[in-house]
Amino acid sequence: MIVMKFGGTSVADATAMHNVAKIVGENIHRKPIVVISAIAHGTNLLESIGFSAAEGNREKAFEFIFSFIEKHRKIVHEGISSQQNREKLLEKISMSEKKLYELSEGVF
């Protein structure tokens, strides 16, 4: 068994994610436990959402939410070839987007 952790630039876009999948695949015989943390700049965007909401800056918080969500949508559109899987992931992203807006509204 091996624990493999990826985050930041190693999962920044669809190309990077495919590279991660290749690395994991090459180590499948080691029975990996794979941990994926935030995409590049993801943590910073989440912090910016929180800080903007805490300051009452709805417009800025919503801009950060849009940027955060669009990064994820772009990865899905560029990296997932199966339309069915792409639609499922985009639905989950939309649900997360809704939750981010709701959390921000609660902080305002």
Side-chain angles (χ1 to χ4, degrees):
M1 179 182 66
I2 183 173
V3 176
M4 304 175 81
K5 189 260 185 193
F6 302 93
T9 57
S10 68
V11 291
D13 55 31
T15 301
M17 294 245 188
H18 284 293
N19 188 49
V20 165
K22 180 182 174 198
I23 293 167
V24 171
E26 291 169 351
N27 288 279
I28 204 73
H29 65 281
R30 299 174 75 184
K31 299 179 182 178
I33 295 172
V34 180
V35 178
I36 306 286
S37 64
I39 62 172
H41 308 292
T43 302
N44 292 340
L45 284 168
L46 288 170
E47 288 177 342
S48 296
I49 293 165
F51 289 135
S52 297
E55 293 171 351
N57 191 338
R58 179 178 273 112
E59 183 177 328
K60 199 68 172 167
F62 287 179
E63 286 175 21
F64 288 127
I65 291 171
F66 178 82
S67 179
F68 181 78
I69 295 299
E70 284 306 302
K71 285 178 174 287
H72 287 81
R73 285 187 177 131
K74 183 178 179 185
I75 290 170
V76 170
H77 282 292
E78 292 176 354
I80 306 297
S81 57
S82 162
Q83 182 175 342
Q84 183 179 9
N85 290 339
R86 191 171 47 246
E87 287 174 5
K88 285 180 185 177
L89 285 169
L90 290 172
E91 185 178 323
K92 288 186 181 291
I93 290 170
S94 291
M95 290 179 352
S96 295
E97 178 181 27
K98 182 180 176 187
K99 288 179 184 178
L100 278 172
Y101 280 111
E102 289 172 357
L103 286 169
S104 295
E105 287 291 342
V107 174
F108 296 137

